[in-house]
């Protein structure tokens, strides 16, 4: 069977890429190792995705936004950054007065994945093969081939690797990557609390721990809901992931300084290693890397999926402007050049901030406080960051 494009990985970026390319008239096949039941009804995975305006526009155009229940979309009005124990000098970003009143929209990852799958499943020219295991991939200047477990062979003009941060495709193509290991883990879960979150996302770089509270849309139950993102040494995250609920509630309430009142666990606890990835190259012969396989961002700037959407748009545009063969070097070079330019400064800047703001030495704490205070008064800087957070380009 021959396709224009075979996409390996049916995560949110792979599904979005399949939708874009099939709508442009390409014959596309997505190969995903998880079973169809998981794609159709993905489980809660702790990730609450802050969608930019651009991402929301893309999801609306694709029809996926309408597949997300309205009552689970939570607008974010303010982002607040704090360092150390002093909460009186925060760096605050508000949506501009002359624009939409939200910086972005919080939506749980499993709703985004579900909505994209629903659209992808009914897109003509797009085949989704779930529960598939890949035995071998071969891609040369002349052709690309994927052999499935069982021996079936599929060919394509282009293979797109959308198989996540620890991409096997990237590795097997011999593409190296900058992997920044922060030697910490992240625990994410939903918590209930007494005080309202006021649609504010808080990023608090405390000494020895980083805590984020992200606003979650209210439901019919009592008390407010937020997503807790706690970054600590791996051993502490492992302990907190399995300790009994009462001990967990007491510890997270104490760690958060009681700022939202008493916290109580309201979901599963999920954890992730804090490693960021930037591939040395985003292409090889008849192969393109997109999503986390190309750029696995640190979650503090909440841009991983937003950039994944950008990657597949850039690739689809390069293919549409190309000679017809989706896998030519010229098409892939154009994609790579544009996507590197769009992601490298953000990747490097995010990691520099994350590194500085997790250094707890006395001089670093002084620089951290001064940096936030200065940034809060530098209006052009704040405007630029607000623009980046919102990404209102259509
Ligand atoms: C705690 C946390 C918070 C985050 N918050 C935000 C946020 O606020 N905003 C934001 O934009 N981003 C955020 N992100 C990042 C975002 O979740 C990722 O960027 C996004 O999920 C990447 O999508 P992807 O499709 O590239 O990769 P993945 O979601 O990793 O999907 C990869 C897919 O490939 C499949 N796969 C892997 N190997 C194979 C194989 N060999 N064969 C077939 N299939 C394969 C996997 O099963 C999976 O379905 C956050 C991430 C974390 C961990």
């Amino acid at each position: 069977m021959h396709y224009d494009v075979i996409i390996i990985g049916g995560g949110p970026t792979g599904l979005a890429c399949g939708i874009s390319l099939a709508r442009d008239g390409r014959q596309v096949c997505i190969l995903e190792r998880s079973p169809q039941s998981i794609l159709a009804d993905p489980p809660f995975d702790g990730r609450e995705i802050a969608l930019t305006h651009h991402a929301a526009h893309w999801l609306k155009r694709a029809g996926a936004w309408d597949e997300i229940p309205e009552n689970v979309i939570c607008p974010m009005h303010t982002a607040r950054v704090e360092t150390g124990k002093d909460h009186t000098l925060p760096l605050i970003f508000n949506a501009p007065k002359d624009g939409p009143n939200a910086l972005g929209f919080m939506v749980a990852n499993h709703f985004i994945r579900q909505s994209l799958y629903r659209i992808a499943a009914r897109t003509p020219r797009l085949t989704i093969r779930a529960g598939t295991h890949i035995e071998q991939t071969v891609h040369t200047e002349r052709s690309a081939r994927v052999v499935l477990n069982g021996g079936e062979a599929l060919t394509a003009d282009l293979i797109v690797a959308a198989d996540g941060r620890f991409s096997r495709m990237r590795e097997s193509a011999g593409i190296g990557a900058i992997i920044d290991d922060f030697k910490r883990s992240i625990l994410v879960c939903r918590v209930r609390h007494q005080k309202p979150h006021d649609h504010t996302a808080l990023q608090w770089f405390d000494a020895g721990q980083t805590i984020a509270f992200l606003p979650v849309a209210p439901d019919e139950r009592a008390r407010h809901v937020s997503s807790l993102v706690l970054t600590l040494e791996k051993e502490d995250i492992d302990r907190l992931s399995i300790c009994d609920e009462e001990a967990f509630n007491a510890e997270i309430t104490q760690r958060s300084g009681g700022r939202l009142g008493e916290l109580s666990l309201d979901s599963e606890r999920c954890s992730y290693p804090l490693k960021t990835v930037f591939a040395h190259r985003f292409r090889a012969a008849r192969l393109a890397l997109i999503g986390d396989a190309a750029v696995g961002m640190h979650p503090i700037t909440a841009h991983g999926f937003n950039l994944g959407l950008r990657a597949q748009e850039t690739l689809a545009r390069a293919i549409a402007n190309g000679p017809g063969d989706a896998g030519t070097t010229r098409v892939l070079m154009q994609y790579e050049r544009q996507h590197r330019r769009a992601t490298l400064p953000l990747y490097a800047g995010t990691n520099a901030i994350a590194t500085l703001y997790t250094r707890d030495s006395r001089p670093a704490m002084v620089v951290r406080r001064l940096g936030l205070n200065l940034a809060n008064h530098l209006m052009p800087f704040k405007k630029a960051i607000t623009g980046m957070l919102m990404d209102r380009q259509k």
Side-chain angles (χ1 to χ4, degrees):
M1 183 74 199
H2 185 82
Y3 294 94
D4 293 313
V5 181
I6 292 175
I7 299 170
I8 298 181
T13 313
L15 289 171
C17 187
I19 294 167
S20 293
L21 293 174
R23 286 189 178 178
D24 283 349
R26 305 274 159 187
Q27 289 292 341
V28 184
C29 179
I30 297 178
L31 301 175
E32 165 60 45
R33 67 180 171 198
S34 311
Q36 194 266 345
S37 56
I38 296 285
L39 281 183
D41 190 13
F44 174 79
D45 62 10
R47 304 182 201 196
E48 307 283 344
I49 305 295
L51 295 169
T52 61
H53 287 264
H54 179 84
H57 281 308
W58 189 92
L59 292 168
K60 280 175 192 166
R61 275 200 312 273
W65 191 260
D66 290 339
E67 297 289 339
I68 301 172
E70 210 177 327
N71 62 348
V72 305
I73 301 171
C74 185
M76 187 202 339
H77 298 315
T78 305
R80 184 182 168 102
V81 187
E82 296 177 4
T83 184
K85 296 278 176 238
D86 184 0
H87 303 161
T88 58
L89 292 173
L91 168 59
I92 292 182
F93 300 100
N94 286 311
K97 293 203 170 62
D98 57 347
N101 74 345
L103 286 172
F105 307 91
M106 301 300 313
V107 181
N109 195 39
H110 64 288
F111 283 119
I112 296 174
R113 289 178 58 197
Q114 184 184 54
S115 69
L116 286 167
Y117 175 75
R118 286 182 182 167
I119 298 298
R122 50 180 197 252
T123 298
R125 292 178 294 279
L126 178 53
T127 306
I128 303 174
R129 295 187 58 170
T132 49
H133 291 274
I134 294 167
E135 196 74 55
Q136 192 193 30
T137 50
V138 182
H139 45 98
T140 65
E141 296 297 340
R142 293 170 68 89
S143 63
R145 198 160 73 105
V146 178
V147 181
L148 304 181
N149 161 346
E152 187 187 352
L154 311 174
T155 57
D157 293 343
L158 175 68
I159 296 176
V160 173
D163 54 343
R165 193 166 292 229
F166 305 110
S167 166
R168 286 258 309 275
M169 276 306 297
R170 185 180 68 223
E171 209 180 292
S172 68
I175 300 178
I178 302 166
I179 299 184
D180 286 307
D181 184 351
F182 285 79
K183 302 217 161 42
R184 294 189 176 199
S185 293
I186 311 171
L187 182 146
V188 270
C189 63
R190 284 187 173 187
V191 289
R192 288 212 175 246
H193 44 87
Q194 291 137 344
K195 298 182 190 167
H197 52 54
D198 294 328
H199 295 262
T200 297
L202 168 72
Q203 182 74 48
W204 173 26
F205 298 100
D206 191 14
Q209 62 176 8
T210 305
I211 291 184
F213 282 111
L214 308 172
V216 172
D219 54 21
E220 69 291 346
R221 290 169 53 203
R223 303 206 297 163
H224 307 279
V225 202
S226 288
S227 166
L228 167 72
V229 187
L230 176 62
T231 307
L232 292 172
E233 303 276 333
K234 182 179 181 306
E235 299 70 48
D236 286 319
I237 293 296
D238 290 347
R239 176 180 56 75
L240 278 165
S241 299
I242 51 169
C243 72
D244 73 59
E245 218 168 298
E246 210 176 304
F248 180 80
N249 291 344
E251 183 163 339
I252 57 169
T253 302
Q254 177 266 325
R255 282 185 178 277
S256 66
R259 55 192 309 150
L260 288 174
E262 230 169 75
L263 302 178
S264 59
L265 183 65
D266 196 46
S267 73
E268 260 180 65
R269 289 166 265 188
C270 308
S271 66
Y272 297 91
L274 189 46
K275 286 185 186 174
T276 64
V277 174
F278 196 91
H280 292 160
R281 288 180 290 130
F282 294 172
R283 67 176 172 98
R286 295 199 177 270
L287 175 75
L289 309 184
I290 63 167
D292 276 18
V295 183
M297 290 288 291
H298 192 297
I300 50 163
T301 35
H303 259 56
F305 175 58
N306 291 306
L307 291 181
L309 274 185
R310 281 280 184 194
Q312 60 83 30
E313 285 180 272
T314 306
L315 179 63
R317 205 168 38 244
I319 292 173
N321 293 337
D325 174 347
T328 59
T329 306
R330 193 154 59 88
V331 165
L332 299 182
M333 278 174 72
Q334 189 187 337
Y335 158 67
E336 180 179 56
R337 203 169 38 244
Q338 284 186 8
H339 196 50
R340 277 185 91 81
R341 210 183 303 137
T343 52
L344 189 54
L346 192 58
Y347 178 85
T350 304
N351 280 11
I353 291 169
T355 304
L356 172 64
Y357 278 84
T358 44
R359 282 217 180 116
D360 295 336
S361 65
R362 205 175 260 248
M365 286 304 258
V366 173
V367 175
R368 283 165 56 168
R369 261 197 305 275
L370 281 175
L372 275 199
N373 199 7
L374 184 69
N376 201 38
H377 291 94
L378 279 178
M379 287 310 151
F381 169 81
K382 278 179 74 167
K383 213 171 155 194
I385 298 291
T386 306
M388 186 271 292
L389 287 174
M390 296 177 74
D391 189 2
R392 285 162 70 188
Q393 274 174 30
K394 290 218 170 162

